Amino acid sequence: MAKSPKTIGDTPRPEVPPASEIAAIIAGTHGDPFSVLGIHQTETGFCARCFIPGAETVTAVALNGADLGELPRIDPAGFFAGPVAIGGFHPIRYRACRGDAEWTVTDPYSFGPVLGPMDDYFVREGSHLRLFDRMGAHPLKHQGVDGFHFAVWAPNAQRVSVVGDFNEWDGRRHVMRLRRDTGIWEIFAPDVRQGTAYKFEIIGKDGVLLPLKADPYARRAELRPKNASITAAELEQDWQDDAHREHWASVDQRRQPVSIYEVHAGSWQRRGDGSLLTWDELADRLIPYCSDMGFTHIEFLPITEHPYDPSWGYQTTGLYAPTARFGEPEGFARFVNGCHKVGIGVILDWVPAHFPTDAHGLRWFDGTALYEHADPRQGFHPDWNTAIYNFGRIEVLSYLINNALYWAEKFHLDGLRVDAVASMLYLDYSRKEGEWVPNEYGGRENLDAVRFLQKMNRLVYGAHPGVMTIAEESTSWPKVSQPVHEGGLGFGFKWNMGFMHDTLSYFSRDPVHRKFHHQEITFGLLYAFSENFVLPISHDEVVHGKGSMIAKMPGDDWQKFANLRSYYAFMWGYPGKKLLFMGQEFAQWSEWSESRPLDWNLLQYALHEGMRRLVRDLNFTYRSKPALHARDCEGDGFEWLITDDHDNSVFAWLRKAPGQKPVAVICNFTPVYHERYTVPLPAPGRWREILNTDAEIYGGSGKGNGGRTEARPGSDGRATATLTLPPLAVIMLEQEN
């Protein structure tokens, strides 16, 4: 390499930096190129320095096109430096030539920083709630020039560059500026357009070049198997959902009907050729279907960017980017807007517990354990082969909390179902003795995770009161759905895993044996109001060899369908919000697979169509009868009527709400047909049969009470009704005026 002359004859060359600095710029090892490149003031005026590989000549040009002077080439690798006719520190461009080729480069090192001292302050404090507007890649008109501002947290790196299609993936061209107080690197890259692929090139503290990293805050990503981040415009959506959002922000969600349809967006339906639907195509099909079925919410398995289809989205590498599988992020915003216009909420399955170890992801991000714990006893999850977030690090908490706020604000999401909460709460989760590190008090509780969940819930509900958070928490951790100020975790709801396990165990038994397991139905009412529960029949119950819901039921085909119909009606009459995974509403026989669409052809058969029709009627009955939903989470909304008829496996209870007509739910969980069965009711008079799972329209035998029954005063002061109880069926009665 030629030496950089500091003088020509007796003339000093103050615009030329030392040879070692030039060599570091050319080699891409300089940690602070802003101190070398760009506009610099000398005793005689201003000079410009640039590194443009492949250029033979370079002329500095003002933004208005005026020539500022040709720069001498100091090094044949493409380093140029010389005085320029400029009056201050202004952005400039370079007209570069090589042979007949000519191109223009706007100098990224002639621009000032974008982030400011208040950003630094809030980042250090952990109180920055707009990081999604500051970190990552954002379009910006900066000092009169359009481009993208890039910012990434990598405090232990020697050098960070943004590389992409705009600089031929050359890490020497856009080395970023380090903000030492925060460990954030930033640069304004002029002339970068939206839709451009990019990553971060990082040299770790030991001088080792790391695998290219996707942007942790990227708002768009390439379609798998590619994994670069994509520059994206700020989300623009003509939101037409004020009424929907105002409603949910003004009500007590515990007292509203909530019936959730859980969906894997890639396999609900597909095109005829087997390819995935776009968000707009899903909107055309899924929204009308859910509206007709009476579901109040759609909950998506994670739709954040993830590299591996069979992970179902639970191993995400891009928490801020809706996956490219279904199109651009604007498509998802249109989908949410369409749902809200017809009164359907959208809940996102959210995964802040762990992340995959893919080389382009968060693991060992700057050459150190940055987002995860360095100690594998704390930072590695043996069940899922994933890394565990370091909840004790302020920057990691900010990354995750900002993500929750991002989805609520930018995409108007109605809720977050937080995955794997139990794995977060316990330091010894799925670990043997000696494989975990106790907390500061010697216990197994992950106090950092507790503080994270409390802070996340407090901030989400504080900023977006209409949003609900739901914990998938499978242990008896206390006060999961109690407010933070009362010592709770602050979730709005908790999945009732005990209900799911006990009731599925009961219904999978042959009816002749059910009388010996009566407590599997009654036990759940001992704790049904200890939390605000969602009753989940989720994807987890129909995968990994567990079979579909209809396949779990005992007996011949008729009994299987009768059992499942009675199970659904039992669940919809039971206190708690409802969640049902797609395909189970029409009793799909096969186990769910993410690789194929649901078996919609089954709806041509009466039993399957009858099941779908029952779920639809259950939803609308549940929604239209306040007694069935207004006290889902409070004990005064439930009263046992029959709880001890083990021999007949009959149960009956009352659902009620202040000022509303009560609804009696009567269950006969054997194939025995009872023509004259006495049921106590709270008041005499006519009671209307508002639902009967044995109705012929659902595929049943058509036995029932002719639409109504008469309750007569009893000798003990209570009323009783003599009912027909259809086999393997549930009926619901409502008191008439």
Side-chain angles (χ1 to χ4, degrees):
M1 183 180 69
K3 293 183 178 179
S4 55
K6 294 293 289 182
T7 62
I8 297 180
D10 295 328
T11 306
R13 295 288 305 276
E15 70 271 11
V16 179
S20 60
E21 301 263 18
I22 296 174
I25 292 292
I26 294 171
T29 58
H30 203 296
D32 183 19
F34 284 88
S35 66
V36 179
L37 301 174
I39 304 296
H40 294 267
Q41 190 169 16
T42 68
E43 292 181 359
T44 58
F46 289 90
C47 70
R49 303 169 185 159
C50 64
F51 173 54
I52 305 177
E56 293 176 339
T57 64
V58 165
T59 301
V61 182
L63 295 184
N64 62 10
D67 282 2
L68 301 177
E70 184 173 341
L71 304 184
R73 185 169 70 171
I74 307 303
D75 191 286
F79 191 93
F80 297 80
V84 288
I86 192 171
F89 294 98
H90 303 297
I92 64 170
R93 293 189 171 102
Y94 303 110
R95 186 169 60 247
C97 298
R98 182 182 182 88
D100 294 334
E102 180 178 301
W103 67 98
T104 300
V105 177
T106 306
D107 186 359
Y109 298 101
S110 63
F111 292 85
V114 173
L115 300 180
M118 292 309 296
D119 290 305
D120 295 341
Y121 175 81
F122 289 128
V123 167
R124 288 291 299 273
E125 191 180 57
S127 61
H128 204 311
L129 303 182
R130 307 292 309 178
L131 283 178
F132 46 81
D133 285 335
R134 308 298 275 167
M135 301 293 289
H138 292 273
L140 184 67
K141 192 178 188 71
H142 186 42
Q143 295 179 243
V145 178
D146 290 321
F148 267 79
H149 175 248
F150 296 89
V152 64
W153 178 55
N156 303 302
Q158 281 191 12
R159 188 262 282 171
V160 179
S161 301
V162 59
V163 295
D165 295 338
F166 55 89
N167 63 11
E168 300 177 328
W169 298 85
D170 186 343
R172 303 173 299 173
R173 306 263 289 273
H174 288 82
V175 180
M176 305 171 78
R177 173 192 281 116
L178 173 62
R179 304 184 71 84
R180 298 187 182 279
D181 285 349
T182 59
I184 292 173
W185 299 73
E186 69 160 332
I187 193 171
F188 174 71
D191 303 329
V192 174
R193 298 180 180 180
Q194 68 182 67
T196 301
Y198 74 97
K199 286 185 176 180
F200 294 113
E201 182 180 282
I202 301 174
I203 296 178
K205 66 178 181 180
D206 54 2
V208 173
L209 182 66
L210 301 173
L212 294 181
K213 293 291 188 178
D215 183 357
Y217 285 87
R219 294 171 293 117
R220 188 174 177 183
E222 285 186 309
L223 177 63
R224 50 103 173 89
K226 295 181 179 180
N227 53 38
S229 304
I230 300 289
T231 56
E234 300 297 347
L235 186 70
E236 292 187 7
Q237 169 61 39
D238 178 19
W239 292 104
Q240 300 165 307
D241 60 353
D242 287 350
H244 174 88
R245 301 185 84 202
E246 288 169 4
H247 165 75
W248 284 102
S250 65
V251 298
D252 183 344
Q253 296 170 352
R254 301 172 305 158
R255 295 180 173 179
Q256 295 295 303
V258 175
S259 180
I260 303 167
Y261 189 51
E262 189 188 32
V263 173
H264 178 259
S267 61
W268 181 72
Q269 286 184 6
R270 291 193 175 182
R271 299 188 186 117
D273 62 1
S275 59
L276 301 179
L277 301 176
T278 65
W279 284 118
D280 291 324
E281 290 169 327
L282 273 166
D284 290 342
R285 304 184 190 189
L286 180 56
I287 295 175
Y289 180 77
C290 287
S291 180
D292 177 69
M293 287 294 293
F295 288 103
T296 64
H297 292 76
I298 298 170
E299 179 182 313
F300 283 111
L301 272 62
I303 56 102
T304 47
E305 195 54 77
H306 55 282
Y308 187 51
D309 286 2
S311 79
W312 312 332
Y314 288 98
Q315 296 207 13
T316 180
T317 52
L319 273 181
Y320 285 79
T323 176
R325 289 166 174 81
F326 314 114
E328 75 285 352
E330 289 77 9
F332 182 57
R334 290 192 295 271
F335 180 92
V336 175
N337 188 53
C339 285
H340 288 179
K341 287 166 69 175
V342 295
I344 296 174
V346 180
I347 300 168
L348 176 62
D349 214 334
W350 190 52
V351 191
H354 59 116
F355 57 90
T357 57
D358 298 69
H360 70 281
L362 297 180
R363 184 118 194 270
W364 218 248
F365 190 80
D366 65 354
T368 67
L370 194 60
Y371 286 87
E372 72 275 27
H373 284 277
D375 188 336
R377 295 175 299 170
Q378 298 172 282
F380 184 76
H381 205 299
D383 286 355
W384 302 313
N385 193 34
T386 53
I388 300 171
Y389 285 105
N390 184 348
F391 301 111
R393 192 158 193 169
I394 287 176
E395 296 89 348
V396 175
L397 295 193
S398 294
Y399 171 72
L400 294 171
I401 290 170
N402 269 269
N403 186 248
L405 296 169
Y406 167 79
W407 288 104
E409 177 178 324
K410 301 294 187 180
F411 289 94
H412 287 200
L413 282 190
D414 299 87
L416 295 171
R417 178 266 191 186
V418 184
D419 180 62
V421 171
S423 75
M424 301 166 66
L425 291 174
Y426 298 97
L427 295 165
D428 64 344
Y429 184 89
S430 196
R431 296 178 189 273
K432 299 176 183 177
E433 190 67 34
E435 296 179 348
W436 57 281
V437 179
N439 64 32
E440 59 196 272
Y441 303 107
R444 66 192 188 108
E445 300 81 11
N446 190 334
L447 302 180
D448 289 332
V450 170
R451 285 187 281 264
F452 157 65
L453 293 171
Q454 290 176 325
K455 185 175 182 180
M456 181 275 295
N457 280 313
R458 180 171 53 81
L459 290 172
V460 167
Y461 276 106
H464 304 281
V467 170
M468 65 176 70
T469 61
I470 307 168
E472 187 220 5
E473 204 285 309
S474 55
T475 74
S476 56
W477 187 281
K479 297 185 175 182
V480 171
S481 59
Q482 299 301 311
V484 173
H485 66 266
E486 295 181 4
L489 293 183
F491 285 95
F493 296 95
K494 171 183 173 175
W495 271 21
N496 191 338
M497 310 296 279
F499 166 88
M500 179 270 297
H501 285 297
D502 288 350
T503 59
L504 284 184
S505 173
Y506 181 88
F507 274 86
S508 66
R509 302 181 189 279
D510 189 295
V512 72
H513 301 302
R514 288 176 177 170
K515 63 183 178 180
F516 304 112
H517 301 276
H518 205 72
Q519 76 284 353
E520 290 181 329
I521 296 297
T522 59
F523 177 70
L525 270 303
L526 295 178
Y527 62 86
F529 308 105
S530 62
E531 301 276 4
N532 304 324
F533 279 124
V534 172
L535 312 180
I537 301 301
S538 74
H539 65 281
D540 281 330
E541 313 319 315
V542 294
V543 292
H544 301 321
K546 296 179 184 177
S548 63
M549 286 296 292
I550 189 66
K552 296 178 194 293
M553 299 295 115
D556 57 22
D557 280 2
W558 190 92
Q559 289 199 5
K560 284 181 181 294
F561 277 88
N563 269 303
L564 188 56
R565 289 194 301 268
S566 64
Y567 180 72
Y568 286 160
F570 159 79
M571 175 174 160
W572 260 253
Y574 194 95
K577 308 310 178 185
K578 326 301 176 189
L579 180 143
L580 187 65
F581 184 59
M582 65 181 197
Q584 308 316 303
E585 77 275 16
F586 60 82
Q588 174 166 302
W589 280 105
S590 60
E591 188 174 85
W592 170 64
S593 169
E594 81 287 339
S595 63
R596 62 175 184 267
L598 300 179
D599 298 328
W600 292 100
N601 61 301
L602 292 176
L603 288 174
Q604 65 185 302
Y605 301 106
L607 284 174
H608 293 278
E609 169 58 21
M611 190 71 70
R612 184 202 67 80
R613 193 165 180 175
L614 171 67
V615 172
R616 179 183 186 274
D617 288 353
L618 284 170
N619 274 333
F620 282 107
T621 301
Y622 169 70
R623 292 174 62 171
S624 63
K625 307 297 181 183
L628 289 174
H629 67 251
R631 289 296 186 271
D632 265 334
C633 305
E634 298 161 86
D636 62 352
F638 179 91
E639 179 185 342
W640 278 114
L641 298 174
I642 298 174
T643 185
D644 57 357
D645 189 358
H646 299 71
D647 290 338
N648 292 306
S649 296
V650 170
F651 302 84
W653 62 83
L654 202 66
R655 295 300 308 279
K656 49 190 178 176
Q660 303 293 330
K661 298 178 184 178
V663 172
V665 182
I666 302 102
C667 311
N668 176 18
F669 291 145
T670 71
V672 177
Y673 171 50
H674 300 284
E675 287 191 281
R676 297 185 61 80
Y677 190 98
T678 301
V679 175
L681 291 171
R686 281 193 169 185
W687 288 71
R688 187 165 58 94
E689 192 175 74
I690 59 174
L691 189 132
N692 179 351
T693 65
D694 195 50
E696 292 180 356
I697 57 171
Y698 305 138
S701 61
K703 295 179 172 61
N705 296 278
R708 59 179 47 84
T709 188
E710 188 80 19
R712 304 185 184 281
S715 58
D716 60 354
R718 298 196 69 180
T720 59
T722 301
L723 301 175
T724 293
L725 300 188
L728 293 173
V730 172
I731 62 174
M732 294 185 183
L733 306 177
E734 182 185 57
Q735 187 176 11
E736 291 188 353
N737 291 329

